[in-house]
Amino acid sequence: MVCALGAAICFGTATVLQAVATRAATTGGGGDAALLLRALRQWRYMAGLGLDGLGFVFQIAALRSLPIYAVGAALASSLAVTAVVAARLLKVRLSGMEWAAVGVVCAGLAMLGLASGAEGDRAGSTALKWAMLGTAGAVLLLGLVGGRLPERGRALTLGLGAGFGFGVVEVAVRLIDSLSPSTLFGNPATYALLVGGGAAFLLLTTALQRGSVTTATAGLVIGETIGPAAVGVVWLGDRTREGLEWLAVLGFLVAVVGALALARFGEAPASASDGEAVDRAGESG
């Protein structure tokens, strides 16, 4: 659970650092490519990318030792980290309900930590590996046509798709049982991980650019937690400590509901109150 929480802290903090750097970079002209180049010159953006990479390493380590349902809920809690860090760095004012949601997420994770057993002992079948690759392909296809969807429901659809893509990554990590080149390149789960992760980023980026951040992030949380958790329990043998099934279910639901309450922090929020913080970031970046 330490690795899962470490991943959540890395991802949540990276979101805020990249938001600060991106907003500071918007002061110049040019299109998306110019914006990206200016952002890459900011140490906060590079630090955010580094934290994303470190978080992915922590995520892999967690998935190799914990049930998928516990890791998924912990990753969803990165929204609580983003909220707290945004309150500090971007001067975003959290309401009493949002602070309560942060506490709810922490309580849910504590319950999961107490109830979670070791990762399941079942080896993933070949059919499951191919199913993950097929799911990744479907997510990629959705990403290619997602921008053309009607505005109504676009953000939720793309957010859910992104969640499914990240969920494929979670399951695929468990289905890769050897890192030897011959086995790795012959394993459909390897390609499911690559395609699913890439497609998820594509869908999430499109959703945040062309729809409601809150709606897209809510879909993301649901997609990346419930589906993978079900796969872990049904096909990979994920279990809880004896007699604590009820606590694991309760903790999972509490953590996810708390994360949904913080969905607006799926992209560090912009408001009038953080304008000065962004200006200072631009001067010092």
Side-chain angles (χ1 to χ4, degrees):
M1 184 60 82
V2 172
C3 287
L5 293 177
I9 291 172
C10 288
F11 291 144
T13 305
T15 296
V16 179
L17 290 175
Q18 290 165 348
V20 172
T22 301
R23 289 178 199 164
T26 59
T27 54
D32 292 341
L35 172 62
L36 178 60
L37 289 176
R38 288 195 299 272
L40 288 172
R41 291 197 293 266
Q42 304 240 355
W43 70 265
R44 288 175 179 83
Y45 194 87
M46 298 305 297
L49 291 179
L51 285 173
D52 280 334
L54 181 60
F56 185 65
V57 173
F58 281 141
Q59 178 184 357
I60 291 175
L63 287 166
R64 304 300 293 183
S65 60
L66 285 175
I68 293 176
Y69 63 79
V71 178
L75 294 179
S77 75
S78 66
L79 293 174
V81 176
T82 299
V84 173
V85 176
R88 296 278 297 179
L89 295 185
L90 297 182
K91 310 302 180 185
V92 175
R93 186 180 299 277
L94 271 64
S95 67
M97 289 296 293
E98 287 171 334
W99 279 116
V102 171
V104 166
V105 169
C106 294
L109 293 177
M111 286 186 278
L112 270 175
L114 291 173
S116 297
E119 67 170 328
D121 55 2
R122 296 182 195 167
S125 66
T126 301
L128 181 58
K129 295 174 183 178
W130 282 106
M132 288 299 102
L133 181 56
T135 302
V139 173
L140 179 60
L141 181 61
L142 179 59
L144 296 176
V145 302
R148 301 184 180 91
L149 292 175
E151 184 174 354
R152 184 177 182 180
R154 177 194 299 159
L156 180 60
T157 300
L158 293 177
L160 278 171
F164 291 144
F166 287 124
V168 167
V169 172
E170 295 174 21
V171 176
V173 168
R174 285 278 298 275
L175 297 177
I176 297 174
D177 48 13
S178 173
L179 297 180
S180 66
S182 59
T183 303
L184 189 64
F185 293 123
N187 189 343
T190 302
Y191 304 100
L193 187 153
L194 296 174
V195 175
F201 278 114
L202 173 64
L203 265 71
L204 185 58
T205 300
T206 304
L208 295 179
Q209 287 178 339
R210 303 183 182 182
S212 164
V213 171
T214 301
T215 301
T217 305
L220 171 71
V221 170
I222 293 172
E224 74 176 346
T225 53
I226 296 177
V231 172
V233 171
V234 176
W235 284 285
L236 298 177
D238 286 347
R239 294 293 181 265
T240 66
R241 295 181 182 179
E242 187 174 356
L244 293 180
E245 294 86 354
W246 65 272
L247 185 61
V249 172
L250 180 61
F252 179 84
L253 293 176
V254 166
V256 171
V257 168
L260 289 174
L262 295 167
R264 77 180 179 99
F265 292 96
E267 180 182 64
S271 65
S273 62
D274 66 1
E276 294 181 1
V278 175
D279 291 339
R280 289 196 296 272
E283 294 171 359
S284 61

